[in-house]
Amino acid sequence: MSYIKETIEKLKQTSPAQVEFYQAVEDVLESIEPLLEERPKYREHSIIERLVEPERQIMFRVPWMDDDGNIQVNKGYRIEFNSALGPYKGGLRFHPSVNAGIIKFLGFEQIFKNALTGLPIGGGKGGANFNPKGKSDAEIMRFCQSFMSELYRHIGPNTDVPAGDIGVGSREIGYLFGQYKRLANRFDGVLTGKSLLWGGSHARKEATGYGAVYFAQCMMDDKGDSLEGKRCLISGSGNVAIYAMEKLYDLGARPISCSDSSGTIYHEQGIDLDLVKRIKEEQKGRLEEYLETHNNAEYTPRDDYPKDGHSVWRYKADLAFPCATQNELTAKDAQSLLENGCKCIVEGANMPSTQAAVDLFIESGAAYGPGKAANAGGVATSQLEMVQNASMLRWDFDEVDEKLKGIMSNIYHDAKRTAEDFGHPSNLVLGANIAGFRKVADAMIEQGVV
Ligand code: GLU
């Protein structure tokens, strides 16, 4: 049995029923095979065996009271995966699908994503199986306060700095921060994604979406092409999708779709972004409401999606930006994108394409930007927020945005150069995984067996 297969088999025994985690590990291990051959020291130092085991896993009860006076209980997690390059850094996800395996997959990805940014941040992730949908503001606040009542003792500006992810935006960060401050009696940069009023960074909200589009720009540049006039399919309608669409419009492209967990909007003349912002950011409503303003748009409810696929990927487009969630884009979806002439796929979400879909993209020769490289702009800007907090300064929007652009370009060129060095010039999965892994592995060796 190969070393990689053996590692996965062992994981299945020691960490049972964590399929998304195995998928994320397999993705990294398969691409770094040529590196492991070239540098036997990684095996001598048991880097893989150490890397797949989180440094610390915190699991806790989150009890809270709903508006009817019933006691509710959720599972809370913070997985401090790897601190070779800096304090643990990564978001918190509040979603009913959250379990230890999901948080481990996200934490594992985060290690390499953060390494790729070139900034001094380790990898971590957390969250809860809490469903924020339909909850009142007071319920969200009580949940966040209960969650932080345990989490506060594990985090700190030089230890572990959580941020947002699915279900955790500026409102939740506010409630979490308030409770942290109350318990710790400290006002410090212990969370990122904070409000601009009290320590947040300009451009953090926009950063993941903008960053993914800057990454796409680098990919198009390399083909001697640009985003100008391109038709773009987007999935999702959260923070990542909204600001990816905004930057696409800025650069002359046309986003023609978006989606939420209930259905997909397709609007040939271009998505009305102000309306999506109003529905999603202000009213926290459903995308279906889009039709009340634009009856020439097409809405497909989730129940009408094709079997084994998502309805958003069946339209004709030049580029695709999966910005919703893991494994939202299947082999069938990849096939229909490619058949319809899509030449560039850029992942705004974490691991949105199944392994079979990724294989199809790579075989086809389409330009494929994996999430851990293309969506690293969010966490990179979080680190810029940490820098501003530590120095008690605030940079203006353009300064942060310029830095973000530079970081995305560096990530792209680092991954591209590494892919070329290893003889697979268009395989950015291999390039990103090797470039990220190498930094973490070398740091681990230098820090000894810890
Ligand atoms: N949740 C985001 C990610 O997946 C951002 C994490 C952060 O800003 O720490 O990278």
Side-chain angles (χ1 to χ4, degrees):
M1 210 193 295
S2 78
Y3 178 49
I4 292 168
K5 283 222 163 64
E6 237 173 78
T7 309
I8 303 285
E9 281 315 306
K10 207 163 150 207
L11 270 188
K12 286 183 181 166
Q13 284 163 19
T14 55
S15 306
Q18 299 186 342
V19 281
E20 291 85 1
F21 177 49
Y22 314 145
Q23 184 185 341
V25 172
E26 221 163 338
D27 173 80
V28 171
L29 296 194
E30 270 173 13
S31 5
I32 61 165
E33 234 178 337
L35 177 72
L36 296 180
E37 271 164 36
E38 191 186 286
R39 298 199 193 178
K41 65 174 180 175
Y42 293 144
R43 284 192 66 173
E44 284 156 27
H45 288 266
S46 295
I47 293 297
I48 307 287
E49 290 78 352
R50 285 196 272 157
L51 252 175
V52 297
E53 200 54 50
E55 289 176 15
R56 188 176 300 111
Q57 305 188 57
I58 304 145
M59 300 190 196
F60 49 100
R61 180 174 73 192
V62 190
W64 56 283
M65 199 170 281
D66 67 22
D67 288 344
D68 298 326
N70 301 312
I71 295 170
Q72 303 281 349
V73 182
N74 286 98
K75 283 177 181 291
Y77 303 86
R78 184 70 185 168
I79 301 204
E80 299 179 335
F81 225 118
N82 192 291
S83 61
L85 295 178
Y88 308 105
K89 183 83 197 84
L92 298 171
R93 177 177 290 192
F94 291 169
H95 192 269
S97 65
V98 162
N99 57 41
I102 296 276
I103 300 297
K104 276 176 79 175
F105 117 65
L106 290 163
F108 190 73
E109 289 263 303
Q110 200 83 45
I111 303 170
F112 307 102
K113 183 198 304 199
N114 294 5
L116 272 173
T117 65
L119 303 169
I121 37 181
K125 201 87 188 188
N129 65 343
F130 170 72
N131 188 358
K133 235 176 250 155
K135 302 288 188 298
S136 71
D137 203 60
E139 288 175 325
I140 300 277
M141 181 177 77
R142 287 195 294 272
F143 180 81
C144 288
Q145 289 177 339
S146 180
F147 187 86
M148 186 52 85
S149 298
E150 175 57 36
L151 188 67
Y152 89 99
R153 66 189 92 242
H154 306 288
I155 60 177
N158 297 307
T159 316
D160 183 356
V161 185
D165 195 82
I166 295 173
V168 179
S170 59
R171 172 179 61 165
E172 290 73 18
I173 293 292
Y175 294 144
L176 289 163
F177 186 79
Q179 183 74 351
Y180 169 83
K181 189 163 53 82
R182 187 179 194 193
L183 293 169
N185 193 28
R186 293 179 61 94
F187 193 115
D188 46 25
V190 74
L191 292 166
T192 59
K194 300 186 291 296
S195 156
L196 286 173
L197 283 176
W198 42 271
S201 172
H202 280 296
R204 173 61 191 90
K205 182 173 68 167
E206 294 83 355
T208 314
Y210 278 22
V213 176
Y214 294 146
F215 195 88
Q217 216 179 4
C218 293
M219 294 168 87
M220 298 301 276
D221 267 0
D222 243 0
K223 292 153 141 316
D225 203 344
S226 80
L227 287 166
E228 181 83 43
K230 296 292 186 296
R231 295 163 59 87
C232 302
L233 292 176
I234 285 95
S235 65
S237 50
N239 196 44
V240 184
I242 285 178
Y243 292 97
M245 292 195 274
E246 183 165 285
K247 187 46 73 179
L248 284 170
Y249 273 129
D250 269 3
L251 298 174
R254 179 155 47 118
I256 50 179
S257 74
C258 58
S259 65
D260 64 13
S261 55
S262 315
T264 297
I265 287 284
Y266 172 78
H267 199 180
E268 177 59 33
Q269 71 192 54
I271 291 291
D272 178 345
L273 191 54
D274 287 339
L275 178 60
V276 174
K277 281 188 182 176
R278 215 158 42 236
I279 297 173
K280 287 291 166 185
E281 291 186 332
E282 286 167 32
Q283 299 158 4
K284 306 215 179 291
R286 310 308 307 165
L287 264 187
E288 197 174 358
E289 293 161 35
Y290 189 95
L291 295 180
E292 291 166 17
T293 310
H294 296 286
N295 58 11
N296 60 343
E298 208 174 293
Y299 178 74
T300 314
R302 187 169 200 97
D303 289 347
D304 296 347
Y305 284 6
K307 195 176 170 294
D308 303 324
H310 192 303
S311 114
V312 78
W313 311 122
R314 67 197 160 110
Y315 298 103
K316 192 170 164 50
D318 305 299
L319 290 99
F321 292 82
C323 296
T325 195
Q326 68 272 359
N327 292 328
E328 55 163 308
L329 196 159
T330 64
K332 185 172 176 176
D333 295 326
Q335 224 146 15
S336 60
L337 280 172
L338 294 167
E339 277 165 19
N340 280 326
C342 177
K343 292 267 179 330
C344 186
I345 302 95
V346 188
E347 296 183 338
N350 290 312
M351 208 169 76
S353 308
T354 63
Q355 192 54 51
V358 176
D359 292 344
L360 283 172
F361 289 143
I362 290 177
E363 274 163 36
S364 75
Y368 168 65
K372 67 167 80 70
N375 76 32
V379 76
T381 308
S382 274
Q383 199 275 349
L384 302 179
E385 184 171 327
M386 290 163 70
V387 174
Q388 293 169 80
N389 291 162
S391 59
M392 294 194 164
L393 291 172
R394 176 135 109 220
W395 308 330
D396 66 22
F397 191 97
D398 290 344
E399 189 171 350
V400 181
D401 192 34
E402 272 313 305
K403 286 187 166 63
L404 168 64
K405 244 182 249 173
I407 292 167
M408 295 317 293
S409 164
N410 288 342
I411 295 174
Y412 174 75
H413 290 104
D414 193 11
K416 175 87 184 155
R417 209 174 318 110
T418 309
E420 281 164 4
D421 290 348
F422 282 83
H424 297 274
S426 58
N427 188 339
L428 292 179
V429 176
L430 182 135
N433 280 334
I434 292 185
F437 174 88
R438 215 162 31 186
K439 293 182 211 211
V440 181
D442 289 342
M444 286 173 73
I445 292 175
E446 286 174 13
Q447 289 171 22
V449 181
V450 288

